[in-house]
Amino acid sequence: MTRPIPPKADGADLSPPAEISAGGDAPAASGDLADRLRWFAPGTHITIRGLNKTFADGTVLYRDFDLDLPRGKVVSIFGPNGCGKSTLINMISGILDYDSGQILFDGKTARETKIGYVFQNYREAGFPWLRAIDNIRYPLKFLKLSQAEKDARVEKLLASFNVSIDLNRYPYELSGGQQQLVSIMRALVIEPEVLFLDEPFSALDYEMTLFLRDKLQSVLTEMQITTLLVSHDLDEAVELADEVLLLTRKPTSVAARIPFTAPRPRNAEITVTPEFIDVKARSLEIFQREVRKT
Amino acid sequence: MSDKLTKYLPRMGWIQPVLGALALILLWAFAHVAQLVDPVLLPSPLESWNAFVEGMTEGTLGHDFWRTIVRTMLSFAIATLIAVPLGVALGSSNKLYRSVEFLIDFFRSTPASAMFPLFLVFFGIGEEAKIAVAAFGAALIILFNTAYGVMNARQLRQLAARVMGASRTRILWDVTIWESLPQTFIGLRSGVSMALVIVIVAEMFIGSSDGLGKRIIDAQMIFNMPEMYASIFAAGALGYVMNMLFTLIEARFVHWGGK
Ligand SMILES: Nc1ncnc2c1ncn2[C@@H]1O[C@H](COP(=O)(O)OP(=O)(O)OP(=O)(O)O)[C@@H](O)[C@H]1O
Ligand SMILES: [Mg+2]
C-alpha cells in the first residue's frame, strides 16, 4: 500500500536549492519521474529520490540514490570508511548541497523542517561565547514561541535529561562528555522533527559514551523523533537502532536494511540477547562483504 | 636549598622582568659614570628620572602626555568605527574582498609617514591632519584583520546555526562576527600601537604646539637630554600601558580565545 506525498503548491521540486536559503522555485518535474517521486511506503517520513552527488575532483559518491526513512524511528547508518555516511546526512539535513535529486520530509524541504544536528566535533560546534545554558536555548530563537513557552521547553528538557552539570559555565569549562551532552540538548530543545547525529560519541571515553548512549536512548524513546545516527561502533549502532542501514563502498548504495525490534528502553545489557547478537552478526557479515569488494 | 628556590621562583615570576629593567638602568648608570658616552648626550638615569617627575608634576610633560593620549584615542576610535564594520562587510563577501585585497595590501605596506604630505594637503596643518593620518594607518590594520577573521571563521559553527534555521544575516551576527573577534582584537591591538606611532611622528613634523612628539623634538633641538629621555620614557610607558589595557580587555571579551 502506498500513499501520495502531499503535493507542494508549486509541484514537485526536483532540483535542490542552489543555495540553502533560496529554493522552492525550481522547475517542475516531467511525467514519469514525477510519478515515481510521488509514491512511498506508509509511515515514511523522509523520501530521497534520484540523489546525485559528485565532488569537484570527479569522485562520484551518489548516483541515482533512492531511500525512504520511517517516521519516529532510529535508523543507524553503518558502512565502510569514507563511503559517504556524513555526506549523506549532511545532504539530507540541508548542510551540504547536492547536484540533483530530491529530498523531502513529508513533502517539505529541509529548510521547512525543524532539524536537530549533533556533530562529532563538539568543540567546534558549540558556541564558546555563550554559556552552556544559552547554547541550549539558542535554537529556540528561530521558533515562534513566547518567552514562557521557551523557558518551559528548556525546563522540560533539563528534567528529562536530569543532569547535574553547572550550565552557567562556558562550554570550554566543561568536560568533553558534558559538552557533547550540551550539544545533544541544544539539538533536542526545539523538539525537532528529525534528529541527525554524526558519530556523536566517537571523541569521548568509553564510560562517557555508555552514559550518553543511555541518556540518548531513553530520551529518544520518550520523544519518538525520526533519528539518523551515523556510528562506526556496531554495538552502538545496533543498540540504539530500530533499523540498521548498511551502505556499500562508493558509488554508494544501500547494501541492506536490518530491523532490530527489541523493546525499549534498552541498555548495554541488550548486547547479550540472542536477537541483538543475530542482528549484529548479519550486519557484520554484510559489512565485511562490502569492505572486501574493491 | 635549590628545592626552595624552584618552589619560590615561579611565584615570583614578576621578578625577572624587573631584574632585566634593573640591569639596563645599571648599565646606563655605569656608562654615565665611566663616561663611555659624552655626558651631555647621556645624562645619568637619576637626572632623567627627575626630569620626568618634575615634568609630570610641575612642568608641561603631563599636558603633552595627555594631548598625545587624546589624539591617539581619537584616531583609534575613528579607525575602529570605520574599519570594523567595513572589515566585516568585506570579509563576508569573497568577491568584494578579492576586488579590494590588492588595495588594502598596497596601502598597508605603504609607510604612513609617506602619506603625511598628502594628508597635509587635504586637511591643513591643524589637528585634523594628524588625527586623519593616524586613523588611516590604524584603520588599514584593523580592516585587514577584521576581514581576515570573518573570512577564516570556522565553517562548522555556521553550519550548526544554519541547520537550526538561521538566516544568512543571523549567522553573520550570531556566529561569524563572534568567531572573528579574536582576530579583530589582534587588529585593534596593533591598530592602537600604530595610531600612537603615527601621532608621535606627526607631532614631531606636522607643526604641532604640544604632544610628546613635539616635546621630544624640542628637547633634542636644544640638547636638553634629560628632558628628551623623560619624554621618550613617557611615550614608551604610554605604549606599554595601552597594550596592557588591550590585553586585559581582550581577555575579558574574548574569554574563549585559544580554548
Ligand atoms: N569536498 C570533498 N571533495 C572531494 N571528495 C570528498 C569531499 N568530501 C568528501 N569527499 C569524499 O567523499 C567520501 C565520503 O566522505 P564522507 O565524509 O561522507 O564519508 P564517511 O562515510 O562519513 O567517512 P568516515 O567513516 O570517515 O566518517 C570520502 O571518500 C571522501 O574522500
Ligand atoms: Mg563521517
Side-chain angles (χ1 to χ4, degrees):
Chain A
M1 204 190 108
T2 54
R3 74 186 165 85
I5 302 178
K8 283 189 56 175
D10 58 352
D13 178 0
L14 273 184
S15 52
E19 209 151 28
I20 290 303
S21 54
D25 50 0
S30 58
D32 285 356
L33 187 56
D35 281 345
R36 192 182 107 207
L37 296 177
R38 279 175 203 280
W39 299 94
F40 55 85
T44 298
H45 189 176
I46 306 171
T47 52
I48 302 169
R49 292 291 178 274
L51 184 70
N52 286 299
K53 177 74 184 175
T54 303
F55 283 110
D57 62 0
T59 319
V60 178
L61 200 56
Y62 287 94
R63 183 178 291 145
D64 208 15
F65 182 85
D66 294 349
L67 183 66
D68 285 352
L69 294 162
R71 177 187 313 282
K73 302 286 184 199
V74 180
V75 174
S76 291
I77 303 178
F78 197 76
N81 273 334
C83 75
K85 304 178 290 288
S86 301
T87 306
L88 180 63
I89 70 168
N90 288 344
M91 290 190 294
I92 301 176
S93 59
I95 285 180
L96 188 70
D97 291 344
Y98 39 96
D99 305 334
S100 62
Q102 183 195 56
I103 299 176
L104 291 176
F105 304 72
D106 267 342
K108 294 182 297 180
T109 63
R111 266 273 146 185
E112 297 159 341
T113 307
K114 273 194 294 177
I115 287 174
Y117 198 123
V118 178
F119 296 87
Q120 173 184 13
N121 192 344
Y122 49 82
R123 250 177 237 293
E124 285 178 18
F127 300 147
W129 47 87
L130 296 180
R131 294 174 189 280
I133 186 70
D134 295 321
N135 264 282
I136 296 172
R137 274 197 202 115
Y138 178 78
L140 288 174
K141 78 197 254 182
F142 303 109
L143 303 187
K144 291 189 185 69
L145 293 176
S146 71
Q147 193 54 48
E149 285 169 313
K150 290 180 185 174
D151 291 345
R153 282 275 180 102
V154 174
E155 281 310 314
K156 191 174 144 208
L157 182 77
L158 293 182
S160 62
F161 270 91
N162 183 29
V163 285
S164 53
I165 333 173
D166 180 2
L167 293 173
N168 281 316
R169 288 175 175 271
Y170 288 97
Y172 56 81
E173 297 173 314
L174 303 176
S175 75
Q178 291 171 332
Q179 286 183 50
Q180 192 58 306
L181 187 58
V182 168
S183 301
I184 293 173
M185 290 198 278
R186 179 177 79 169
L188 286 174
V189 73
I190 55 169
E191 295 177 3
E193 294 163 63
V194 188
L195 176 67
F196 296 90
L197 304 116
D198 191 356
E199 301 190 16
F201 309 134
S202 60
L204 301 174
D205 65 55
Y206 192 61
E207 188 186 340
M208 203 63 215
T209 300
L210 286 189
F211 172 75
L212 283 184
R213 218 188 266 175
D214 274 1
K215 280 269 179 242
L216 183 68
Q217 167 83 246
S218 71
V219 172
L220 284 182
T221 307
E222 194 181 314
M223 293 176 90
Q224 300 265 326
I225 299 169
T226 304
T227 301
L228 279 180
L229 167 76
V230 173
S231 176
H232 61 195
D233 175 339
L234 191 51
D235 275 5
E236 173 176 297
V238 177
E239 183 190 328
L240 289 173
D242 293 301
E243 183 178 57
V244 181
L245 177 74
L246 290 143
L247 296 179
T248 63
R249 280 192 182 284
K250 59 192 170 185
T252 312
S253 58
V254 175
R257 303 179 67 155
I258 303 177
F260 182 50
T261 53
R264 292 176 189 268
R266 304 169 186 160
N267 55 33
E269 281 158 34
I270 194 112
T271 54
V272 295
T273 61
E275 198 189 352
F276 178 94
I277 293 168
D278 173 56
V279 170
K280 189 179 163 189
R282 280 159 59 203
S283 304
L284 195 59
E285 190 190 322
I286 294 164
F287 173 74
Q288 281 172 334
R289 191 185 71 206
E290 288 308 322
V291 168
R292 265 185 244 114
K293 282 186 191 166
T294 40
Chain B
M1 168 66 202
S2 82
D3 262 15
K4 253 195 180 151
L5 215 63
T6 45
K7 202 169 128 201
Y8 283 108
L9 266 185
R11 245 189 270 168
M12 311 209 303
W14 55 270
I15 212 161
Q16 277 148 349
V18 169
L19 280 179
L22 219 62
L24 179 68
I25 293 171
L26 281 178
L27 191 71
W28 177 2
F30 173 76
H32 172 75
V33 172
Q35 305 219 338
L36 295 180
V37 184
D38 184 343
V40 175
L41 298 185
L42 191 71
S44 77
L46 192 64
E47 274 175 90
S48 307
W49 176 251
N50 284 341
F52 176 77
V53 173
E54 220 165 89
M56 278 298 196
T57 50
E58 296 151 33
T60 50
L61 178 57
H63 170 76
D64 287 322
F65 194 68
W66 176 244
R67 290 300 301 155
T68 300
I69 293 181
V70 169
R71 286 185 186 119
T72 305
M73 280 309 164
L74 199 59
S75 2
F76 174 66
I78 294 171
T80 304
L81 284 178
I82 295 173
V84 170
L86 207 60
V88 170
L90 284 184
S92 47
S93 161
N94 229 325
K95 276 187 210 139
L96 206 58
Y97 184 79
R98 291 268 162 271
S99 53
V100 294
E101 186 178 20
F102 168 74
L103 286 182
I104 294 177
D105 272 351
F106 184 82
F107 282 109
R108 222 161 49 93
S109 322
T110 309
S113 43
M115 308 287 286
F116 280 4
L118 180 67
F119 277 83
L120 281 175
V121 170
F122 274 91
F123 292 92
I125 45 168
E127 204 59 20
E128 291 87 353
K130 290 191 264 301
I131 289 172
V133 73
F136 176 78
L140 282 172
I141 299 185
I142 299 172
L143 180 70
F144 170 80
N145 278 284
T146 306
Y148 193 79
V150 169
M151 257 186 323
N152 290 297
R154 295 264 181 79
Q155 275 277 306
L156 198 58
R157 293 193 180 105
Q158 299 175 44
L159 290 179
R162 189 164 94 173
V163 91
M164 292 173 201
S167 64
R168 287 178 68 129
T169 9
R170 262 264 82 85
I171 295 175
L172 183 67
W173 276 109
D174 288 355
V175 184
T176 317
I177 288 184
W178 288 93
E179 190 105 52
S180 70
L181 270 189
Q183 187 69 39
T184 302
F185 261 89
I186 292 177
L188 291 176
R189 195 144 38 97
S190 331
V192 81
S193 301
M194 178 57 97
L196 178 61
V197 168
I198 301 179
V199 161
I200 296 228
V201 177
E203 285 168 348
M204 287 177 175
F205 302 114
I206 307 186
S208 187
S209 56
D210 51 16
L212 288 176
K214 161 81 171 157
R215 198 179 179 86
I216 293 170
I217 210 98
D218 280 357
Q220 183 242 339
M221 303 265 206
I222 55 167
F223 278 87
N224 183 350
M225 294 316 269
E227 177 70 48
M228 189 173 141
Y229 284 109
S231 307
I232 293 175
F233 175 72
L238 180 55
Y240 185 77
V241 168
M242 276 189 194
N243 214 344
M244 219 162 63
L245 266 176
F246 245 90
T247 312
L248 284 179
I249 296 173
E250 190 175 337
R252 181 137 176 68
F253 273 88
V254 198
H255 52 85
W256 69 90
K259 282 173 186 149

